[in-house]
Amino acid sequence: QYVTTKEKFHESIDSAWQKEGEDAVEPPGKKIKLEEQTEDRKEKEDGKKARGQFKCRPHRKPHNYDIRLCPSVVQERADKCFYGDKCKFFHDIAEYMSVKPEDIGERCHLFDTFGRCQYSVTCRFAKAHTGEGFKNLVNEELLKKHEGRLMVKNALDKDLQRRLRKKQVSFKASEAYLKTINKTAMPGTRTPHVEPTGLNSSEKTQDTQKPSPIKTVGALTDADLIKLRPSEKKQVDFRDKMYLAPLTTCGNLPFRRICKRFGADITCGEMAMCTNLLQGQSSEWALLKRHESEDLFGVQLEGCFPDTMTKCAELLNHNIEVDFVDINSGCPIDLVYKKGGGCGLMTRTHKFEQIVRGMNSVLDVPLTVKIRTGVQDKVNIAHKLIPEMKNWGVSMITLHGRSREQRYTKLADWEYIDNCSKLASPIPLFGNGDILSYEDAIKARETGVSGIMLGRGALIKPWIFTEIKEQRHWDISSNERMDILKDFTRFGLEHWGSDTQGLEKTRSFLLEWLSFLCRYIPVGLLEHVPQKINERPPYYMGRDYLETLMASQHVGDWIKISEMLLGPVPQNFSFLPKHKANAYK
């Protein structure tokens, strides 16, 4: 009774939207202009559905926010603007307020939560905390409650960034390890096992006798002189836990907070390029940030050479707070693979071994690895690598049950994952692929895996962690799902900011997530339970208008949902998802 046609589906959504907006002023029409691509034309001629990575997406420059108030005014600094008359931003608050976009709400989440909004009059909810003379109001009681509380850790220190850019950071342990691998006589010889310090006994003695270049406070302990042995490193119990996969773009901090609330046990930051981290790039270091709710948190690094990966591991070991570090050797993206990283490491075992041993020698936390079954379809090589990884010192392995060539088109091979888990014992091995219900999770746990990792399943329905723990199907209502999106926008405004720039960044990440959320089919509408991850339903009408709108795979309808939460989009706004889908009428 819910099945309909594509035309009737979109006609129903558009007519209902027009009725709701009759009293309101219509925003200017938004048109998404796509350059015609040869591949797209071929797909239309062949009648095949678009799918996979959207490689033809044109590169769009970041939006230029010309209407901005100078940070010296926003932060109420005592000294004047450093740039003086050359500053391109507004310095007169009254002049700025006359051209600033309208506020989108009466209450500011930052002010209501923390007692003070650091964005002052630039906040898009500024009416809630602006007094006479554009003064930024403060709730002293709330402010005192959160005083000294660090909610987000692992921020990039400005002094460290400056030293990284000027190459003034010392990598003593890494350089000692790299000297040992450079002494190998033949290119094909095995990497010798190196002590965790990477130093021989004579060098250790000399090193301990040298005065430390860093000024220390308090008594000198053994920990200051002696490096931890592998058995003394921090131990993490990974077994019988649910692991939220490190997801590029969508696996951001606000999304991880949503999943953590629904019961995710282990979270991991998005894939970070080691070379960018070593250069001190702020955008890459932002991927390492950790919220206080993430009690078991790791970061994932991508690289293809022992020197950069080992140095990056040493850098993070001293400067951020994590429970484990993961090596990405399963990324299928061409940009990464062609450089020898991601899946490319699986075929470069000598370099792979040097990377693992090197990172292990400089880290005080466990080192984990994420791999695929192999590079080519039907040519599995993971079973050959896993026994070797045990000797390299890996603490945990995650196996995605597909090859690089398969991407996501075929079902994950859980029988192969089961065989690999036996080879990995006693090291824990997590399985990953196609889990979208608690029944899928039970079948996965019937194999020999120590735990399960969830990627697309968590994007499509983040409440899957609750379903698995409670062993039930949750027929979640459209209003409950809307509340989840509201929480995401609040977390996004906390993380990226409540000014125009932060708000639009929150919107872009929300839209990327909605391109996955639309694939969820409500349990109450299913002919057979549970829904399978690769099933694509016909067009259907939901039990109410909001449920129908959330089922739409058209990008224009995702934008409508974002406007319900974050107000009207700017003029000439356009959005293209990172993966191909039937996102266009």
Side-chain angles (χ1 to χ4, degrees), residues 15 17-26:
S15 61
W17 183 261
Q18 286 169 6
K19 285 178 183 177
E20 285 184 7
E22 280 177 358
D23 299 330
V25 179
E26 282 285 334

Side-chain angles (χ1 to χ4, degrees), residues 4 113 118 134 136 159 291 340 353 390 419 530 536 572:
T4 185
T113 306
Q118 65 187 52
F134 304 113
N136 193 28
D159 179 59
H291 191 260
E353 179 183 359
K390 290 163 67 175
N419 294 334
R536 294 292 181 269
N572 303 320

Side-chain angles (χ1 to χ4, degrees), residues 289-331:
K289 288 185 177 179
R290 171 185 192 170
H291 191 260
E292 63 176 4
S293 63
E294 298 180 272
D295 51 351
L296 189 48
F297 173 78
V299 294
Q300 188 182 65
L301 300 180
E302 183 282 320
C304 44
F305 298 106
D307 56 343
T308 50
M309 288 290 275
T310 306
K311 287 179 180 179
C312 188
E314 185 179 0
L315 176 69
L316 300 187
N317 192 57
H318 294 309
N319 293 286
I320 66 170
E321 189 180 317
V322 290
D323 298 301
F324 64 93
V325 174
D326 186 63
I327 299 174
N328 186 330
S329 50
C331 181

